Amino acid sequence: MSGQLTYDVLIIGSGAAGLTLALSLPEHLQVAVISKDQLDSGSTRWAQGGVAAVLDEADSIDAHVSDTLIAGAGLCHEPAVRFTVENSAAAIQWLIDTGVPFTQEVGDRFHLTREGGHSARRIIHAADATGLAISDTLIQRASERPNLHMLKHLIAIDLITREKLGIPGSGCVGAYFLDKEERKVVAVTAHATVLATGGASKVYLYTTNPDTASGDGIAMAWRAGCRVSNMEFNQFHPTCLYHPLEKSFLISEAVRGEGGKLLLPDGTRFMDKFDPRGELAPRDIVARAIDHEMKRLGAPCLYLDISHKPTGFLRRHFPTIYERCLALGIDITREPIPIVPASHYTCGGVVTDNFGRTDIENLYAIGETACTGLHGANRLASNSLLECLVYARSAAEHIVNNMDSRLPIPTVPGWDASQVTDSDEDVVISHNWDELRRFMWDYVGIVRTTKRLVRARHRVDLLRGEIQEFYRHFHITSDLLELRNLVDVADIIIRSALQRKESRGLHYSRDYPNALPRAFDTVLASKALRELGEV
């Protein structure tokens, strides 16, 4: 692979957001879609429940907007919520036209399920493997488009801006990548660069996300000068399968939506003590309830029971969950499923508008990487894939409409590795990786205190120093790059959590257990912190 590759549009990430944007661009544009592993290695393929959208006559845009605002605990931006919901039906129709095989009822109607926090059945799905169906379909369609260049095993290092290059004008012109197979750095430049790298749940020890969810896009945008917002709101999925042979398999929200009951080890229900909606309460409430009961009892896990439903119903609606659990010796038609909460979704991210535009010209962020204002302090179930679709299509429209006005792409300098050597102490990276994720779980998890956050801040400062020294003196590796991104994301999460002197949504502090009368976003600007000498 040559030292500099140039395209019209560079999309970093090959999940639902990145591929939707790529397929929404006209075929005369040359587009690079880059994955740091395989094309389907991101979080999209693991999404089980489905996509929320107003598709039934008994439902309404106002109802979906209201449910989203309630779940977001007063922090959603209502214009962004309404923009997303109003475009939901068109986005789903696009997926249908693209060939996604959603589950149908008798006749031509699609089956709609209901999940926690929703007041109606509005979740369109492909059995219990919706993300897999979307991912496979979009990858297949992208492979049929000759203008889409699908590049694998390239992990982004940093964004390239005109400011960094010291040339006239402003804006992003691409990024440097480490080719993991050839072990060399390549520059990929473009008129428009899109961050669709997913979230940062790998910053925690226990997560439902794949290993790729290391916050790369958020960290790169932060280092380049973009604002980030609401990073203290990390959603913990209430029901991740608890089993020694399975580290990140989630049990879909739809299991509770179809009547699943949460149980203590002795078989008694407990959710009604915490919320009148019981098992259908929003995820933050359910996760805290499970966490509370586990700590109160000293229990390693709790249980989710759907065995009262007919066997045929369970095998038809939850085939993936049924088969995976059965392979581990758990028959969900006869016994409850052992579960624990796990880090699942990053509600905050890079600040964007309705077109996915960031603070840096020609740089866009979409999907879980972005903070659009849709999710507020807690994401409503199945709004995540919807956000990917709506904002990807909107960003594609803006990119096309403004392509002619962009400056010529400059030649960028090659990556200078003349002053670094091979490391003989890679154990430091693995140790720091484990330490970071462990103290984030212990100190910055579902329930927080100021003392724990301060302790985590001290640890992250020490780790950053060690990681930066490694980065400056040794050849880069994918593990080092991901660790560098994770430590930046951890620092942002901790800073954001320390600024919020209240409990709201996914952020619960024992020192500030009540919500303030008014909700405010937590917005951090890296440029301002640099001027203060804090980053």
Side-chain angles (χ1 to χ4, degrees), residues 271-293:
M271 272 309 304
D272 289 339
K273 296 189 303 181
F274 294 90
D275 193 281
R277 290 166 290 187
E279 281 79 4
L280 291 179
R283 287 176 177 176
D284 61 323
I285 295 172
V286 178
R288 276 201 303 276
I290 295 172
D291 182 70
H292 177 274
E293 292 299 304

Side-chain angles (χ1 to χ4, degrees), residues 430-472:
S430 61
H431 174 79
N432 286 353
W433 181 283
D434 181 71
E435 181 182 353
L436 173 67
R437 298 178 65 219
R438 192 170 294 277
F439 75 64
M440 285 296 290
W441 181 263
D442 290 339
Y443 301 151
V444 199
I446 297 173
V447 176
R448 300 162 178 174
T449 67
T450 301
K451 184 176 181 180
R452 291 177 188 173
L453 293 173
V454 170
R455 185 174 292 144
R457 176 73 186 277
H458 290 325
R459 291 305 308 149
V460 87
D461 286 344
L462 292 172
L463 279 184
R464 176 188 280 108
E466 293 181 12
I467 294 165
Q468 280 301 105
E469 182 178 0
F470 234 77
Y471 182 77
R472 287 192 297 265

